[in-house]
């Protein structure tokens, strides 16, 4: 009896120790990989502020960087090359500005912390904050719905979201921010007393005139233009061969077509949308579709080039009583639809593990009779400048958003990636004294890299699963195959198990660390359903 009690006590003690170890590892990874702790601790600076910060680029990344800096600098200057006030115009530096747009919950939570008035401002702009990650399908099978209170985001177009952020940042509550349009930073200069530091920059205006501006911190938020590399190269902080060595790039050859439908009042109550038009957000989002290898009666070449035809299919309501619908294809051998009627024909040809809901076909048929505009996009190659590995950067230079990492926009991570960079910036500025520290840039890029690495890795693993992807130099498409297999199993199980679905979505929304999938209760469900139940064959 005593032996049994001793063994029982030992097992209990071991269980408690392992559970505490698991919680400690989880909290460590959550702090390291996500920005949740930093968001909760954001507050204005106590005491004396820093001087001037100069931000090149006034889109999402630049605006959020300005909001982060407003709490810590006497003066925040944002320099934007375009005049983006006209949200209906297509932005030259934002190629996906009129295509499908999605927002992860991490970005929504950060905005709510920075802007308590976001609900009221969103409503005034005709935007709604709705549950995120709903109505998702994997190979035709609906992912189990979740009710996590943090799974929420603004439902909008890309221009609508930028309009919201601009309204929030440039409102009367943040007087330290100066926004200059139709101008650009053309060069930076070194400090005479300490050549390792930047003194300031030269701003060139639309009429050709130039102005010298001194700055304590300079931030590159110029997106795909990546002007910061040019500034640094001009001052010999970095050389071309070093830039090439620091840059990783692969091409997923992703293309997608987005149809924007203006829904007239008389049609809104008749559309085949579950729950009705007025309450709609994401109506349907499906990935991983098998298509029939057949020729169709559509004009031009066959729309499908093989037995396996990965595709993204979507429909969502945005602001101003409009709907987005469309699809995305990998590779160049297949034709994107040129009308919603063609999209409907393609959708009917899809071979999925479960038929698509019939209401979706009715909805496409109804939308095909309304006025539409179409935008097609060939995504740029994904690329990552590994600034965290560069040791010669000036301490008062950083870069945020697409200026550092550009990934396939179909995954909806761009605005969230910029938000993470701005949150990291705010967190480090809270720890600064009255001047930028000598290791500020290095610390920033190190932390930003850790918190956005999952975006790069996840996109690479997913896109390497497509045979048409051109991998990074030195890679093969086999890279990440084990992780790709495991994540495929997770997605399968998410279609039958609400707990796994909620966990996977929380990681996808960057609210939880990747290791959350390894928690005993979740991992056991994945193994059980993968090996025993097998969702692929049982559903």
């Amino acid at each position: 009896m005593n032996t049994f009690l001793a063994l029982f006590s030992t097992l209990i003690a071991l269980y408690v120790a392992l559970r505490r170890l698991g919680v400690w590892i989880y909290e460590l990874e959550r702090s390291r990989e996500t920005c949740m702790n930093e968001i909760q601790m954001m507050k204005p600076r106590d005491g004396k502020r820093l001087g001037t910060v100069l931000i090149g680029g006034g889109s999402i990344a630049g605006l959020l960087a300005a909001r982060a800096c407003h709490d810590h600098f006497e003066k925040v200057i944002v320099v934007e090359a375009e005049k983006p006030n006209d949200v209906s115009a297509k932005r030259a530096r934002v190629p996906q500005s009129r295509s499908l747009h999605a927002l992860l919950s991490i970005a929504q939570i950060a905005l709510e912390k920075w802007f308590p008035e976001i609900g009221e401002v969103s409503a005034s702009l005709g935007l709604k904050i709705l549950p995120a990650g709903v109505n998702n399908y994997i190979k035709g099978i609906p992912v189990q719905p979740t009710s996590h209170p943090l799974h929420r985001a603004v439902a909008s177009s890309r221009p609508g979201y930028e309009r919201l952020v601009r309204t929030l940042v440039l409102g009367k509550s943040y007087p330290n921010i100066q926004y200059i349009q139709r101008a650009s930073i053309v060069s930076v200069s070194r400090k005479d007393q300490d050549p390792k530091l930047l003194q300031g920059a030269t701003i060139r205006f639309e009429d050709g005139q130039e102005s010298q501006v001194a700055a304590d911190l300079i931030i590159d938020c110029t997106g795909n233009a990546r002007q910061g590399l040019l500034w640094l190269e001009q001052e010999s902080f970095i050389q071309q061969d070093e830039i090439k060595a620091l840059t990783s790039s692969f091409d997923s050859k992703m293309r997608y077509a987005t149809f924007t439908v203006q829904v007239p009042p008389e049609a809104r109550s008749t559309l085949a949308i579950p729950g009705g038009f007025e309450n709609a957000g994401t109506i349907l989002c499906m990935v991983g579709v098998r298509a029939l290898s057949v020729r169709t009666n559509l004009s031009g070449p066959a729309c499908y080039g093989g037995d396996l035809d990965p595709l993204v299919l979507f429909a969502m309501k945005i602001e101003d009583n409009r709907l987005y619908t469309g699809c995305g294809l990998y590779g160049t051998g297949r034709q994107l639809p040129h009308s919603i009627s063609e999209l409907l024909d393609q959708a009917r040809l899809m071979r999925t593990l479960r038929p698509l809901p019939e209401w979706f076909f009715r909805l496409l048929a109804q939308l095909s009779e309304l006025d539409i505009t179409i935008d097609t996009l060939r995504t740029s190659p994904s690329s990552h400048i590994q600034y965290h590995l560069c040791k010669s950067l000036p301490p008062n230079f950083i870069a945020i958003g697409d200026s550092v990492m550009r990934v396939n926009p179909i995954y909806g991570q761009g605005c969230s990636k910029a938000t993470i960079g701005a949150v990291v910036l705010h967190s480090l500025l809270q720890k600064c004294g009255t001047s930028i520290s000598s290791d500020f840039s290095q610390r920033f890029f190190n932390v930003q890299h850790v918190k956005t690495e999952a975006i790069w890795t996840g996109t690479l693993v997913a896109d390497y699963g497509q045979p048409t992807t051109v991998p990074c130099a030195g890679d093969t498409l086999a890279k990440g195959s084990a992780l790709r297999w495991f994540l495929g199993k997770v997605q399968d199980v998410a279609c039958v198990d609400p707990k796994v679905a909620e966990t996977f979505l929380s990681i996808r929304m960057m609210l939880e660390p990747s290791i959350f999938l390894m928690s005993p209760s979740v991992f056991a469900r994945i193994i059980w359903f993968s090996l025993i139940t097998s969702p692929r064959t049982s559903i």
Side-chain angles (χ1 to χ4, degrees):
M1 186 67 177
N2 290 337
T3 303
F4 174 78
L5 288 176
L7 178 60
F8 181 74
S9 299
T10 300
L11 290 175
I12 291 295
L14 180 61
Y15 169 78
V16 171
L18 289 176
R19 185 173 179 82
R20 287 179 177 175
L21 177 63
V23 171
W24 178 79
I25 293 174
Y26 162 74
E27 293 293 345
L28 181 66
E29 286 300 297
R30 185 175 186 268
S31 176
R32 189 186 72 89
E33 193 176 315
T34 79
C35 284
M36 293 298 289
N37 290 346
E38 286 86 350
I39 291 173
Q40 293 169 3
M41 297 174 65
M42 287 194 304
K43 62 179 182 179
R45 167 180 290 260
D46 295 325
K48 186 177 180 181
R49 297 187 179 211
L50 300 164
T52 299
V53 58
L54 184 59
I55 302 171
S59 190
I60 299 296
L63 290 166
L64 294 178
R67 174 61 187 92
C69 290
H70 179 274
D71 288 342
H72 304 283
F73 286 85
E74 293 290 346
K75 191 172 186 180
V76 180
I77 303 174
V78 183
V79 182
E80 166 57 37
E82 298 183 83
K83 188 177 182 180
N85 285 339
D86 181 6
V87 297
S88 63
K90 193 163 185 175
R91 299 281 302 280
R93 294 193 177 190
V94 188
Q96 74 277 20
S97 61
R98 288 167 61 180
S99 297
L100 171 68
H101 168 75
L103 189 69
L104 305 185
S105 295
I106 189 68
Q108 180 67 29
I109 293 169
L111 285 189
E112 291 174 2
K113 179 69 173 181
W114 266 326
F115 307 103
E117 70 275 22
I118 185 172
E120 180 182 343
V121 175
S122 296
S124 71
L125 298 176
L127 303 176
K128 291 184 177 181
I129 300 172
L130 298 172
V134 299
N135 299 324
N136 287 332
Y137 290 72
I138 303 293
K139 306 176 183 70
I141 303 172
V143 176
Q144 288 291 304
T146 70
S147 57
H148 196 295
L150 296 183
H151 292 174
R152 60 180 184 269
V154 171
S156 73
S157 64
R158 172 61 171 73
Y161 184 66
E162 183 167 338
R163 182 184 177 192
L164 169 64
V165 175
R166 179 171 287 104
T167 301
L168 290 168
V169 173
L170 302 183
K172 296 180 181 179
S173 300
Y174 309 99
N176 295 356
I177 300 175
Q178 178 185 359
Y179 194 84
I180 302 173
Q181 299 182 124
R182 296 195 182 279
S184 58
I185 298 174
V186 294
S187 64
V188 296
S189 58
R190 292 177 182 258
K191 214 166 192 175
D192 293 334
Q193 302 90 333
D194 187 353
K196 293 181 180 180
L197 289 171
L198 295 176
Q199 170 68 34
T202 300
I203 299 175
R204 180 176 295 160
F205 299 91
E206 186 179 20
D207 58 6
Q209 296 187 29
E210 295 184 350
S211 175
Q212 310 293 322
V213 178
D216 298 283
L217 178 65
I218 296 179
I219 307 176
D220 177 18
C221 295
T222 57
N224 292 335
R226 293 180 169 173
Q227 291 294 298
L229 289 174
L230 177 61
W231 307 335
L232 296 178
E233 188 181 3
Q234 288 173 342
E235 285 296 318
S236 301
F237 283 106
I238 194 170
Q239 305 299 326
Q240 270 294 327
D241 56 348
E242 189 176 6
I243 294 174
K244 291 180 181 179
L246 292 172
T247 304
S248 298
S249 178
F250 66 91
D251 190 356
S252 63
K253 296 187 177 180
M254 181 77 186
R255 298 169 298 127
Y256 55 100
T258 300
F259 300 95
T260 305
V261 186
Q262 184 68 58
V263 183
E266 63 273 15
R268 294 168 193 168
S269 61
T270 64
L271 291 181
I273 300 176
F277 175 81
E278 295 299 332
N279 300 317
T282 299
I283 300 168
L284 180 142
C285 181
M286 184 167 66
V287 297
V289 178
R290 293 182 182 274
L292 296 173
S293 180
V294 298
R295 297 191 67 83
T296 74
N297 58 0
L298 302 181
S299 59
C303 289
Y304 301 114
D307 292 329
L308 182 63
D309 195 339
L311 189 144
V312 176
L313 183 67
F314 57 87
M316 65 179 294
K317 181 189 174 187
I318 58 173
E319 68 277 5
D320 300 328
N321 295 307
R322 292 177 294 158
L323 288 181
Y324 273 164
T325 190
C327 68
L329 295 168
Y330 287 91
T332 58
R334 292 151 291 177
Q335 189 180 58
L336 286 168
H338 296 92
S339 67
I340 294 184
S341 295
E342 290 187 4
L343 176 65
L344 174 59
D345 289 339
Q346 290 194 20
R348 288 196 179 278
L349 285 170
M350 294 173 188
R351 184 173 60 199
T352 57
L353 297 180
R354 181 181 293 179
L356 286 173
E358 188 59 35
W359 60 259
F360 182 67
F361 298 122
R362 295 200 306 270
L363 174 62
L364 290 182
Q366 291 172 314
L367 296 180
S368 67
E369 300 176 356
L370 303 177
D371 292 334
I372 67 166
T373 57
I374 178 173
D375 286 274
T376 58
L377 177 67
R378 162 64 162 92
T379 64
S380 301
S382 297
S383 64
H384 182 200
I385 301 173
Q386 300 176 84
Y387 276 114
H388 63 287
L389 299 179
C390 185
K391 305 302 181 183
S392 59
L393 297 175
N396 57 341
F397 167 85
I398 63 170
I400 290 174
D402 285 352
S403 298
V404 180
M405 181 193 299
R406 180 180 64 232
V407 294
N408 189 341
I410 202 68
Y411 300 112
Q413 298 165 321
C415 293
S416 302
K417 170 164 49 67
T419 304
I420 291 171
V423 170
V424 171
L425 172 61
H426 193 287
S427 175
L428 292 182
L429 287 172
Q430 279 185 279
K431 302 170 185 176
C432 276
T434 56
S435 63
I436 297 296
S437 62
S438 60
D439 62 347
F440 184 85
S441 177
Q442 191 67 57
R443 288 166 56 211
F444 172 83
F445 283 120
N446 284 341
V447 177
Q448 180 177 244
H449 170 71
V450 169
K451 294 187 183 296
T452 58
E453 185 179 15
I455 294 177
W456 177 258
T457 302
T459 302
L460 182 146
V461 167
D463 286 349
Y464 273 27
Q466 312 304 327
T468 53
T469 295
V470 179
C472 296
D475 282 357
T476 69
L477 294 182
K479 182 175 181 179
S481 57
L483 179 57
R484 190 158 48 246
W485 174 86
F486 176 71
L487 291 177
K489 292 295 184 182
V490 172
Q491 291 181 353
D492 284 345
V493 180
C495 294
V496 295
D497 189 289
K499 175 69 173 177
V500 175
E502 182 174 292
T503 300
F504 181 70
L505 187 58
S506 293
I507 295 171
R508 171 80 175 83
M509 294 290 171
M510 307 200 76
L511 306 178
E512 297 287 359
S514 303
I515 201 173
F516 201 31
L517 284 173
M518 297 294 104
S519 65
S521 62
V522 174
F523 189 69
R525 292 165 187 260
I526 295 171
I527 296 301
W528 173 260
F529 281 102
S530 296
L531 300 181
I532 308 300
T533 310
S534 185
R536 288 181 182 275
T537 58
S538 64
I539 295 177

